[in-house]
Amino acid sequence: MKTLTGYVRQAATALRFLVLATVVLGVAYPLAVFGAGQLTAPFQANGSVIHDAEGRPAASALLAQVAATADGVQDPGWFHARPSAVGWDAATSSASNLGPNEQELQDAVTANRNAVAAGEDVAPSQVPADAVTASGSGLDPEISVDYAMLQVPRVARAHGLPEGSVRSMVEARTSSGVVAFLGQPSVNVAALNLGVAAAGSK
């Protein structure tokens, strides 16, 4: 039978291991990961926060953030994001789960295409695919360059800006390099709208 001294020795060993594990796994490792993130990718590590012209946090580059009217429709004065099955609510990120052959999805795409064509005053055939289909998360923060350029005349009129200036904003915020290579050139809607807001307030 183990003596009281043996039990005390085992308890002390367990306590020392607990303290060591807490220091290494609960303090040193998190600090190391935090430090590595701050050194190598501070923008991403801090939430990919986009700031407005006055330096205030305004949005995350990772989430769609739209200006919507009271009935949930995107405000016509700003660049629009892709449609969302969850109303761009980050708390309920999800897709519609409708298959490409389902009539409900086909009807939604047709309705979206007609609405975008009417809003931008173009033919339905000129509306790009990402303007009428939702992403898998419902929170895609970016749109294609084609869709952004399609919206330039409407946004420029709404803010009294030259179309050329707004078009330059789109070009300046178009992804390039590795990001574009892995997918396709795209534009972050929140960053674009913040640029329009800053230009419109001058």
Side-chain angles (χ1 to χ4, degrees), residues 19-30:
V19 172
L20 178 63
T22 300
V23 171
V24 173
L25 302 177
V27 179
Y29 178 72

Side-chain angles (χ1 to χ4, degrees), residues 6 8 11 13 22 30 42 47 73 94 102 118 120 147 167 173:
V8 171
T13 300
T22 300
V73 178
S94 177
E102 294 191 52
E120 309 299 345
Y147 188 26
R167 192 170 291 107
R173 290 165 177 79

Side-chain angles (χ1 to χ4, degrees), residues 8-64:
V8 171
R9 186 182 300 112
Q10 286 185 342
T13 300
L15 181 60
R16 287 194 297 271
F17 180 78
L18 174 62
V19 172
L20 178 63
T22 300
V23 171
V24 173
L25 302 177
V27 179
Y29 178 72
L31 285 176
V33 172
F34 175 78
Q38 295 301 314
L39 287 174
T40 60
F43 178 69
Q44 293 84 349
N46 292 315
S48 302
V49 177
I50 305 174
H51 297 79
D52 62 17
E54 298 179 5
R56 297 172 299 192
S60 170
L62 302 177
L63 298 172

Side-chain angles (χ1 to χ4, degrees), residues 39-131:
L39 287 174
T40 60
F43 178 69
Q44 293 84 349
N46 292 315
S48 302
V49 177
I50 305 174
H51 297 79
D52 62 17
E54 298 179 5
R56 297 172 299 192
S60 170
L62 302 177
L63 298 172
Q65 183 167 325
V66 304
T69 59
D71 56 358
V73 178
Q74 296 192 72
D75 191 318
W78 302 96
F79 281 95
H80 293 173
R82 295 181 63 177
S84 171
V86 294
W88 306 283
D89 183 0
T92 56
S93 173
S94 177
S96 67
N97 292 326
L98 296 174
N101 295 323
E102 294 191 52
Q103 190 60 47
E104 183 179 349
L105 178 61
Q106 296 176 19
D107 292 343
V109 168
T110 299
N112 289 340
R113 179 173 288 109
N114 291 336
V116 172
E120 309 299 345
D121 194 25
V122 297
S125 60
Q126 294 180 262
V127 177
D130 62 314

Side-chain angles (χ1 to χ4, degrees), residues 77 152-163 165-166 196 199-202:
V152 165
R154 169 175 54 78
V155 174
R157 287 195 303 270
H159 294 271
L161 297 171
E163 286 189 21
S165 296
V166 179
V196 171
S201 63
K202 293 180 180 178

Side-chain angles (χ1 to χ4, degrees), residues 127-168:
V127 177
D130 62 314
V132 300
T133 55
S135 65
S137 67
L139 302 172
D140 192 341
E142 300 186 334
I143 57 176
S144 66
V145 178
D146 288 342
Y147 188 26
M149 288 298 186
L150 187 70
Q151 302 181 63
V152 165
R154 169 175 54 78
V155 174
R157 287 195 303 270
H159 294 271
L161 297 171
E163 286 189 21
S165 296
V166 179
R167 192 170 291 107
S168 294

